[in-house]
Amino acid sequence: MNSRLLILLTMLLLFYSCNNRVDIIAELKSEHLTIGIDAKGNVSSLIDNNTQKDYFSKDTISPLISLRKDAEIKYPVSAHLEGGMLVFQFDEGINLTVKFEEKPSHITFELVEASNIEEIELIVWGPVPTTINKIIGETIGVVRGEEFAIGIQSLNIKTIGGYIWKDNDTTPQFDIFDQDDYSDMSEQGKGYTLYRVEAAKPEKFGSTLQAYCRNRFQERIISNLNHEKYISPVYDDGGIIGSKIALFGCPVEETLETIGKIEIEENLPHPQINGIWAKKNPEAAAAYLIYDFGENTIDEAIEYTKNAGLKYLYHPDPFKNWGHFELKEEQFPNGWDGLKMCVEKAEMEGIYVGLHTLSNFITTNDPYVTPVPDSRLGKVGSSILTEDITSNTTEIPVESPDFFNQHNNNNLYTVMIGDELVRYRAVSESAPWKLLDCERGAWGTNKTNHKKGEKISKLADHAYRVFLSDPELTMEIAQRLAELYNYCGLRQISFDGLEGNRSTGMGNYGELLMATTWWSDLSDEVKQHIIVDASRTTHFFWHIYTRMNWGEPWYAGFRESQTEYRLSNQDYFQRNFMPAMLGWFSMRNNTPIEDIEWMLARSAGFDAGYAFVTGREQLETNGHAKEILKAIGEWEKARMGGAFTEEQKERMKDISNEFQLFSTGDNTWNLHQVHTFKFEHEDKVLQPGEPLYSTFEFDNNVEKGIMNFIITAQNALISEVMLEINNSIDVKLPVKLNRGESVRYYGGESAGIYDANLQLRGKLDLNPSMFNLNKGRQTVNFDSDFSNKNEDAKARVEIRILDKPEVISKK
């Protein structure tokens, strides 16, 4: 290329860039971040003040604020500074005025004025595009790179973290970005699994940060709670005026501390546990005991909690009704006073008490339902009666079937007419529309006559066979719940079923109405000592809840129930600055110590707490109960004391690895990795003279290993058990094991014989030298007699070899 052509091209490029340059109207600064705003109303730079590196992505549009009008997103056409505020101009004469404040930790933006506000459906903050994609906290709204983090925070509940991907104000759940579509993302970002695409979102170019706020001046019909048509009501919260966000940037290692500063500066919820911010207090990830106690059984519940080395005792189901939260008389004959007595007695023993709730679920026996239903029960929608009806009419004529013939989430088929509840079976298939086969005076309400033109409303309900609430009743229920916590001094709560608050017709906003009302009504004393669990995460709610504890034990065996789900949650918790929790685990009357230690190793590996669900019957009948409680206490003490190394934790994250922990002093332990090999021996029908035994082979990698074993009868009675080790040592076990019974050898000079509930019913003397193994390939021949058998008759054999001890101690 000749020099003249090169000069010409250079001049053209300079001319083009100068003529397409948009003037910067504001550079807003916090301690670590400078945000540029240009004359088009776009974010134009996101600069790390220390390195001067710009993390702004230029590959997409970048309005600081936009709006939706006539179902279409409108972007600003220009912006300028006026009176110390940012003024954004849109087509059709709409202006938005945004107040900003520069603070050390962050910069705030608040919408303070809008022209033609009645034409605006909603406003959107961002999406603000960044080049960062190493770790994306989709719920907290923070993206982290190698050195720098950038985040968004909604500063009030009407400013919803996220984007209007759905028009019912809920965030998409369990979205998985296709790995091929994001092939140019960093290794950490590829195949990124998002539970709820919300305040932060991965993109090919990096990530975006976003929030929005809606004008709720008009009633809308939305899809909600599995209903195609659901009324989203008028709600007076000032609309888009007052919507407010914070943007911040900081070194990665200061991210969580910066969010805490924003909470305090902006008067956001800032829960503490014993005076330490919950998100930084290790006790936020403490394990706890779930035990069904009452006034007469609180002493035993406290004792079991102490035996397990735990500090938190949690009641799973204390209420006779939900809504008014009256307690079960058989457990708490003195009502709230009785519960308060339990709480005080527990605290004297260093144990803190919590309760499980189902948020705004309202049982059919609650005073909000019967005998006079509350007019604020949540409603799918309404119509009117087209004729007078008497108290005995069983076919009720309605003007429209729209809200009554939706069956996907219609569990109670209940409508409200005045002070009467009516159940119906179906809706006529054509006009004139009628509710058919009606039960009058349902749920203990009074039958009555009704006039033509009277309002008839379909009540929202849930598969738990409960009703739900509208916005006003949601807040009243939250206040009642706060009153209970203040009065009794309770220290832990779970907002299970929080998604039920979508009955308000306002999606995530409805959930926040309950949580923030409850929080604001709590006493300062409770706020200093509260652990908050919930069934749902949302961006603003992050500031209230302590942790999520997802994972339930009801779907499979102890080791199998939602295992993959529990483990994948740990990544979600980590990227959203949430304490790690494994979920609920249920001890049954036949749960062995090996299963418990399998769970405890995962707890240590992820430094994650859990809920241990048990009861009097399980603890009295399970023969391993004392060992189990002791093991829980030792593992929890070691974990909370920081005794495990990072290398040990990595091994314990692998669910195929097993471990045992033995106390060697007050704060020291021997940790053994346990190498397990599991086999099954089946009854066989072979040719005469052919041996019936089974041969198992495995590799022993432990020098001077000792072969422990567990042999369990499955679907048969087994007897005359024989083990031949490496074709040289015969071990004969003269036992009879019924279904579920076992013989267990843990070293030493005897093996135990256990019934199906692990109660010791006998011992067998053994020579321990027979079970010494050299390193390398091992062969075990196994045989037994079967009787009372069926086609699934088996003997299950588990070989367990403890590796050398790893000495650990509390930090």
Side-chain angles (χ1 to χ4, degrees), residues 464-494:
Y464 281 26
R465 301 184 67 78
V466 292
F467 295 113
L468 303 167
S469 54
D470 76 358
E472 183 181 345
L473 185 55
T474 289
M475 291 187 284
E476 183 172 295
I477 291 172
Q479 290 166 340
R480 173 78 171 171
L481 193 56
E483 182 186 354
L484 172 65
Y485 269 69
N486 290 337
Y487 184 77
C488 295
L490 293 157
R491 298 280 290 270
Q492 186 179 345
I493 191 172
S494 176

mmCIF file of all heavy atoms in Angstrom, residues 464-494:
data_model
loop_
_atom_site.group_PDB
_atom_site.id
_atom_site.type_symbol
_atom_site.label_atom_id
_atom_site.label_comp_id
_atom_site.label_asym_id
_atom_site.label_seq_id
_atom_site.Cartn_x
_atom_site.Cartn_y
_atom_site.Cartn_z
ATOM 1 N N TYR A 464 -51.349 -27.757 47.936
ATOM 2 C CA TYR A 464 -51.401 -28.155 49.344
ATOM 3 C C TYR A 464 -52.814 -28.023 49.911
ATOM 4 O O TYR A 464 -53.015 -28.204 51.108
ATOM 5 C CB TYR A 464 -50.453 -27.294 50.175
ATOM 6 C CG TYR A 464 -48.998 -27.690 50.098
ATOM 7 C CD1 TYR A 464 -48.477 -28.367 48.992
ATOM 8 C CD2 TYR A 464 -48.128 -27.389 51.132
ATOM 9 C CE1 TYR A 464 -47.145 -28.716 48.928
ATOM 10 C CE2 TYR A 464 -46.778 -27.742 51.071
ATOM 11 C CZ TYR A 464 -46.302 -28.397 49.962
ATOM 12 O OH TYR A 464 -44.979 -28.745 49.907
ATOM 13 N N ARG A 465 -53.772 -27.702 49.039
ATOM 14 C CA ARG A 465 -55.174 -27.534 49.407
ATOM 15 C C ARG A 465 -55.338 -26.393 50.413
ATOM 16 O O ARG A 465 -55.939 -26.533 51.479
ATOM 17 C CB ARG A 465 -55.778 -28.845 49.921
ATOM 18 C CG ARG A 465 -55.710 -29.965 48.886
ATOM 19 C CD ARG A 465 -56.392 -31.223 49.344
ATOM 20 N NE ARG A 465 -57.835 -31.040 49.454
ATOM 21 C CZ ARG A 465 -58.689 -31.028 48.430
ATOM 22 N NH1 ARG A 465 -58.240 -31.139 47.178
ATOM 23 N NH2 ARG A 465 -59.968 -30.876 48.632
ATOM 24 N N VAL A 466 -54.789 -25.266 50.003
ATOM 25 C CA VAL A 466 -54.872 -24.045 50.786
ATOM 26 C C VAL A 466 -55.255 -22.893 49.874
ATOM 27 O O VAL A 466 -55.089 -22.960 48.654
ATOM 28 C CB VAL A 466 -53.517 -23.721 51.460
ATOM 29 C CG1 VAL A 466 -53.185 -24.739 52.531
ATOM 30 C CG2 VAL A 466 -52.399 -23.632 50.426
ATOM 31 N N PHE A 467 -55.768 -21.828 50.484
ATOM 32 C CA PHE A 467 -56.023 -20.593 49.757
ATOM 33 C C PHE A 467 -54.820 -19.665 49.916
ATOM 34 O O PHE A 467 -53.892 -19.935 50.694
ATOM 35 C CB PHE A 467 -57.311 -19.933 50.268
ATOM 36 C CG PHE A 467 -58.540 -20.740 49.999
ATOM 37 C CD1 PHE A 467 -59.264 -21.316 51.042
ATOM 38 C CD2 PHE A 467 -58.981 -20.942 48.698
ATOM 39 C CE1 PHE A 467 -60.397 -22.071 50.789
ATOM 40 C CE2 PHE A 467 -60.116 -21.696 48.435
ATOM 41 C CZ PHE A 467 -60.825 -22.258 49.482
ATOM 42 N N LEU A 468 -54.853 -18.556 49.176
ATOM 43 C CA LEU A 468 -53.744 -17.610 49.156
ATOM 44 C C LEU A 468 -54.268 -16.198 49.413
ATOM 45 O O LEU A 468 -55.441 -16.039 49.758
ATOM 46 C CB LEU A 468 -53.004 -17.727 47.813
ATOM 47 C CG LEU A 468 -52.472 -19.141 47.500
ATOM 48 C CD1 LEU A 468 -52.042 -19.257 46.043
ATOM 49 C CD2 LEU A 468 -51.308 -19.512 48.422
ATOM 50 N N SER A 469 -53.425 -15.186 49.237
ATOM 51 C CA SER A 469 -53.773 -13.842 49.684
ATOM 52 C C SER A 469 -53.589 -12.804 48.598
ATOM 53 O O SER A 469 -52.798 -12.985 47.675
ATOM 54 C CB SER A 469 -52.901 -13.471 50.890
ATOM 55 O OG SER A 469 -51.525 -13.632 50.560
ATOM 56 N N ASP A 470 -54.318 -11.673 48.742
ATOM 57 C CA ASP A 470 -54.076 -10.520 47.876
ATOM 58 C C ASP A 470 -52.989 -9.659 48.537
ATOM 59 O O ASP A 470 -52.495 -9.995 49.622
ATOM 60 C CB ASP A 470 -55.378 -9.768 47.594
ATOM 61 C CG ASP A 470 -55.866 -8.904 48.759
ATOM 62 O OD1 ASP A 470 -55.220 -8.886 49.833
ATOM 63 O OD2 ASP A 470 -56.916 -8.251 48.594
ATOM 64 N N PRO A 471 -52.553 -8.552 47.918
ATOM 65 C CA PRO A 471 -51.445 -7.784 48.496
ATOM 66 C C PRO A 471 -51.681 -7.325 49.936
ATOM 67 O O PRO A 471 -50.789 -7.442 50.790
ATOM 68 C CB PRO A 471 -51.321 -6.589 47.541
ATOM 69 C CG PRO A 471 -51.809 -7.111 46.229
ATOM 70 C CD PRO A 471 -52.933 -8.040 46.580
ATOM 71 N N GLU A 472 -52.871 -6.821 50.223
ATOM 72 C CA GLU A 472 -53.135 -6.309 51.562
ATOM 73 C C GLU A 472 -53.104 -7.424 52.601
ATOM 74 O O GLU A 472 -52.516 -7.281 53.682
ATOM 75 C CB GLU A 472 -54.483 -5.599 51.601
ATOM 76 C CG GLU A 472 -54.795 -4.963 52.947
ATOM 77 C CD GLU A 472 -56.152 -4.285 52.990
ATOM 78 O OE1 GLU A 472 -56.745 -4.055 51.914
ATOM 79 O OE2 GLU A 472 -56.625 -3.987 54.103
ATOM 80 N N LEU A 473 -53.743 -8.549 52.282
ATOM 81 C CA LEU A 473 -53.764 -9.654 53.230
ATOM 82 C C LEU A 473 -52.373 -10.269 53.365
ATOM 83 O O LEU A 473 -51.983 -10.719 54.455
ATOM 84 C CB LEU A 473 -54.784 -10.710 52.794
ATOM 85 C CG LEU A 473 -55.007 -11.878 53.765
ATOM 86 C CD1 LEU A 473 -55.382 -11.376 55.153
ATOM 87 C CD2 LEU A 473 -56.069 -12.826 53.228
ATOM 88 N N THR A 474 -51.603 -10.296 52.292
ATOM 89 C CA THR A 474 -50.219 -10.770 52.355
ATOM 90 C C THR A 474 -49.451 -10.023 53.432
ATOM 91 O O THR A 474 -48.755 -10.626 54.264
ATOM 92 C CB THR A 474 -49.531 -10.572 50.988
ATOM 93 O OG1 THR A 474 -50.066 -11.508 50.054
ATOM 94 C CG2 THR A 474 -48.030 -10.765 51.084
ATOM 95 N N MET A 475 -49.578 -8.713 53.434
ATOM 96 C CA MET A 475 -48.840 -7.908 54.419
ATOM 97 C C MET A 475 -49.368 -8.126 55.828
ATOM 98 O O MET A 475 -48.597 -8.137 56.799
ATOM 99 C CB MET A 475 -48.881 -6.442 54.013
ATOM 100 C CG MET A 475 -48.070 -6.159 52.756
ATOM 101 S SD MET A 475 -47.936 -4.407 52.342
ATOM 102 C CE MET A 475 -49.566 -4.110 51.678
ATOM 103 N N GLU A 476 -50.672 -8.323 55.978
ATOM 104 C CA GLU A 476 -51.219 -8.573 57.310
ATOM 105 C C GLU A 476 -50.721 -9.907 57.849
ATOM 106 O O GLU A 476 -50.389 -10.024 59.040
ATOM 107 C CB GLU A 476 -52.746 -8.560 57.254
ATOM 108 C CG GLU A 476 -53.390 -8.748 58.627
ATOM 109 C CD GLU A 476 -54.891 -8.527 58.576
ATOM 110 O OE1 GLU A 476 -55.307 -7.384 58.302
ATOM 111 O OE2 GLU A 476 -55.648 -9.501 58.808
ATOM 112 N N ILE A 477 -50.663 -10.921 57.002
ATOM 113 C CA ILE A 477 -50.141 -12.223 57.431
ATOM 114 C C ILE A 477 -48.684 -12.082 57.850
ATOM 115 O O ILE A 477 -48.244 -12.651 58.867
ATOM 116 C CB ILE A 477 -50.302 -13.259 56.298
ATOM 117 C CG1 ILE A 477 -51.785 -13.582 56.090
ATOM 118 C CG2 ILE A 477 -49.517 -14.524 56.609
ATOM 119 C CD1 ILE A 477 -52.054 -14.438 54.868
ATOM 120 N N ALA A 478 -47.910 -11.318 57.093
ATOM 121 C CA ALA A 478 -46.505 -11.097 57.432
ATOM 122 C C ALA A 478 -46.372 -10.402 58.785
ATOM 123 O O ALA A 478 -45.489 -10.729 59.587
ATOM 124 C CB ALA A 478 -45.829 -10.279 56.338
ATOM 125 N N GLN A 479 -47.241 -9.437 59.050
ATOM 126 C CA GLN A 479 -47.210 -8.735 60.332
ATOM 127 C C GLN A 479 -47.537 -9.675 61.480
ATOM 128 O O GLN A 479 -46.931 -9.612 62.559
ATOM 129 C CB GLN A 479 -48.188 -7.560 60.297
ATOM 130 C CG GLN A 479 -47.735 -6.425 59.385
ATOM 131 C CD GLN A 479 -48.835 -5.421 59.093
ATOM 132 O OE1 GLN A 479 -50.027 -5.718 59.252
ATOM 133 N NE2 GLN A 479 -48.457 -4.233 58.654
ATOM 134 N N ARG A 480 -48.499 -10.561 61.243
ATOM 135 C CA ARG A 480 -48.865 -11.543 62.273
ATOM 136 C C ARG A 480 -47.688 -12.473 62.565
ATOM 137 O O ARG A 480 -47.396 -12.786 63.727
ATOM 138 C CB ARG A 480 -50.072 -12.353 61.776
ATOM 139 C CG ARG A 480 -50.490 -13.526 62.641
ATOM 140 C CD ARG A 480 -51.275 -13.099 63.851
ATOM 141 N NE ARG A 480 -51.836 -14.248 64.546
ATOM 142 C CZ ARG A 480 -52.415 -14.178 65.729
ATOM 143 N NH1 ARG A 480 -52.544 -13.018 66.337
ATOM 144 N NH2 ARG A 480 -52.906 -15.260 66.311
ATOM 145 N N LEU A 481 -46.988 -12.865 61.523
ATOM 146 C CA LEU A 481 -45.840 -13.747 61.690
ATOM 147 C C LEU A 481 -44.708 -13.032 62.425
ATOM 148 O O LEU A 481 -44.041 -13.617 63.283
ATOM 149 C CB LEU A 481 -45.373 -14.230 60.317
ATOM 150 C CG LEU A 481 -44.379 -15.381 60.266
ATOM 151 C CD1 LEU A 481 -44.905 -16.602 61.006
ATOM 152 C CD2 LEU A 481 -44.074 -15.735 58.809
ATOM 153 N N ALA A 482 -44.494 -11.764 62.119
ATOM 154 C CA ALA A 482 -43.486 -10.986 62.830
ATOM 155 C C ALA A 482 -43.862 -10.844 64.307
ATOM 156 O O ALA A 482 -42.993 -10.901 65.196
ATOM 157 C CB ALA A 482 -43.331 -9.611 62.190
ATOM 158 N N GLU A 483 -45.137 -10.654 64.576
ATOM 159 C CA GLU A 483 -45.603 -10.555 65.959
ATOM 160 C C GLU A 483 -45.267 -11.825 66.738
ATOM 161 O O GLU A 483 -44.830 -11.767 67.893
ATOM 162 C CB GLU A 483 -47.115 -10.310 65.976
ATOM 163 C CG GLU A 483 -47.716 -10.145 67.364
ATOM 164 C CD GLU A 483 -49.238 -10.039 67.339
ATOM 165 O OE1 GLU A 483 -49.821 -9.976 66.241
ATOM 166 O OE2 GLU A 483 -49.841 -10.013 68.433
ATOM 167 N N LEU A 484 -45.460 -12.987 66.100
ATOM 168 C CA LEU A 484 -45.128 -14.257 66.740
ATOM 169 C C LEU A 484 -43.636 -14.326 67.055
ATOM 170 O O LEU A 484 -43.239 -14.725 68.160
ATOM 171 C CB LEU A 484 -45.530 -15.415 65.828
ATOM 172 C CG LEU A 484 -45.079 -16.812 66.245
ATOM 173 C CD1 LEU A 484 -45.739 -17.228 67.551
ATOM 174 C CD2 LEU A 484 -45.384 -17.832 65.146
ATOM 175 N N TYR A 485 -42.801 -13.931 66.096
ATOM 176 C CA TYR A 485 -41.353 -14.005 66.303
ATOM 177 C C TYR A 485 -40.889 -13.028 67.371
ATOM 178 O O TYR A 485 -40.013 -13.364 68.184
ATOM 179 C CB TYR A 485 -40.619 -13.780 64.968
ATOM 180 C CG TYR A 485 -40.387 -15.093 64.255
ATOM 181 C CD1 TYR A 485 -41.452 -15.806 63.718
ATOM 182 C CD2 TYR A 485 -39.125 -15.657 64.188
ATOM 183 C CE1 TYR A 485 -41.262 -17.031 63.121
ATOM 184 C CE2 TYR A 485 -38.915 -16.893 63.581
ATOM 185 C CZ TYR A 485 -39.982 -17.579 63.049
ATOM 186 O OH TYR A 485 -39.783 -18.799 62.472
ATOM 187 N N ASN A 486 -41.463 -11.843 67.386
ATOM 188 C CA ASN A 486 -41.098 -10.874 68.417
ATOM 189 C C ASN A 486 -41.508 -11.359 69.806
ATOM 190 O O ASN A 486 -40.748 -11.242 70.769
ATOM 191 C CB ASN A 486 -41.771 -9.529 68.130
ATOM 192 C CG ASN A 486 -41.196 -8.834 66.908
ATOM 193 O OD1 ASN A 486 -40.069 -9.093 66.503
ATOM 194 N ND2 ASN A 486 -41.979 -7.951 66.321
ATOM 195 N N TYR A 487 -42.699 -11.915 69.908
ATOM 196 C CA TYR A 487 -43.236 -12.309 71.207
ATOM 197 C C TYR A 487 -42.468 -13.498 71.784
ATOM 198 O O TYR A 487 -42.156 -13.526 72.983
ATOM 199 C CB TYR A 487 -44.715 -12.663 71.084
ATOM 200 C CG TYR A 487 -45.370 -12.979 72.401
ATOM 201 C CD1 TYR A 487 -45.729 -11.954 73.283
ATOM 202 C CD2 TYR A 487 -45.621 -14.289 72.778
ATOM 203 C CE1 TYR A 487 -46.312 -12.236 74.515
ATOM 204 C CE2 TYR A 487 -46.212 -14.589 73.997
ATOM 205 C CZ TYR A 487 -46.556 -13.558 74.871
ATOM 206 O OH TYR A 487 -47.124 -13.840 76.083
ATOM 207 N N CYS A 488 -42.165 -14.455 70.930
ATOM 208 C CA CYS A 488 -41.559 -15.696 71.417
ATOM 209 C C CYS A 488 -40.033 -15.668 71.390
ATOM 210 O O CYS A 488 -39.393 -16.536 71.986
ATOM 211 C CB CYS A 488 -42.058 -16.886 70.593
ATOM 212 S SG CYS A 488 -43.832 -17.194 70.776
ATOM 213 N N GLY A 489 -39.429 -14.701 70.680
ATOM 214 C CA GLY A 489 -37.975 -14.649 70.598
ATOM 215 C C GLY A 489 -37.387 -15.739 69.733
ATOM 216 O O GLY A 489 -36.274 -16.224 69.994
ATOM 217 N N LEU A 490 -38.103 -16.127 68.682
ATOM 218 C CA LEU A 490 -37.638 -17.189 67.786
ATOM 219 C C LEU A 490 -36.432 -16.721 66.984
ATOM 220 O O LEU A 490 -36.287 -15.538 66.673
ATOM 221 C CB LEU A 490 -38.777 -17.622 66.861
ATOM 222 C CG LEU A 490 -39.929 -18.323 67.575
ATOM 223 C CD1 LEU A 490 -41.209 -18.225 66.773
ATOM 224 C CD2 LEU A 490 -39.563 -19.787 67.835
ATOM 225 N N ARG A 491 -35.577 -17.686 66.586
ATOM 226 C CA ARG A 491 -34.298 -17.318 65.986
ATOM 227 C C ARG A 491 -34.088 -17.876 64.583
ATOM 228 O O ARG A 491 -33.016 -17.685 64.006
ATOM 229 C CB ARG A 491 -33.171 -17.814 66.897
ATOM 230 C CG ARG A 491 -33.175 -17.204 68.284
ATOM 231 C CD ARG A 491 -32.568 -15.834 68.304
ATOM 232 N NE ARG A 491 -31.142 -15.902 68.082
ATOM 233 C CZ ARG A 491 -30.215 -16.024 69.041
ATOM 234 N NH1 ARG A 491 -30.596 -16.083 70.307
ATOM 235 N NH2 ARG A 491 -28.935 -16.065 68.740
ATOM 236 N N GLN A 492 -35.056 -18.597 64.041
ATOM 237 C CA GLN A 492 -34.891 -19.128 62.688
ATOM 238 C C GLN A 492 -36.260 -19.256 62.046
ATOM 239 O O GLN A 492 -37.246 -19.583 62.703
ATOM 240 C CB GLN A 492 -34.196 -20.496 62.712
ATOM 241 C CG GLN A 492 -33.867 -21.046 61.326
ATOM 242 C CD GLN A 492 -33.146 -22.394 61.388
ATOM 243 O OE1 GLN A 492 -32.645 -22.796 62.433
ATOM 244 N NE2 GLN A 492 -33.106 -23.087 60.273
ATOM 245 N N ILE A 493 -36.316 -18.996 60.725
ATOM 246 C CA ILE A 493 -37.568 -19.092 59.981
ATOM 247 C C ILE A 493 -37.271 -19.627 58.588
ATOM 248 O O ILE A 493 -36.167 -19.446 58.058
ATOM 249 C CB ILE A 493 -38.270 -17.720 59.874
ATOM 250 C CG1 ILE A 493 -39.702 -17.877 59.325
ATOM 251 C CG2 ILE A 493 -37.464 -16.741 59.034
ATOM 252 C CD1 ILE A 493 -40.523 -16.594 59.372
ATOM 253 N N SER A 494 -38.233 -20.296 58.007
ATOM 254 C CA SER A 494 -38.162 -20.631 56.584
ATOM 255 C C SER A 494 -39.429 -20.134 55.919
ATOM 256 O O SER A 494 -40.531 -20.522 56.306
ATOM 257 C CB SER A 494 -38.038 -22.142 56.371
ATOM 258 O OG SER A 494 -38.057 -22.427 54.986
#
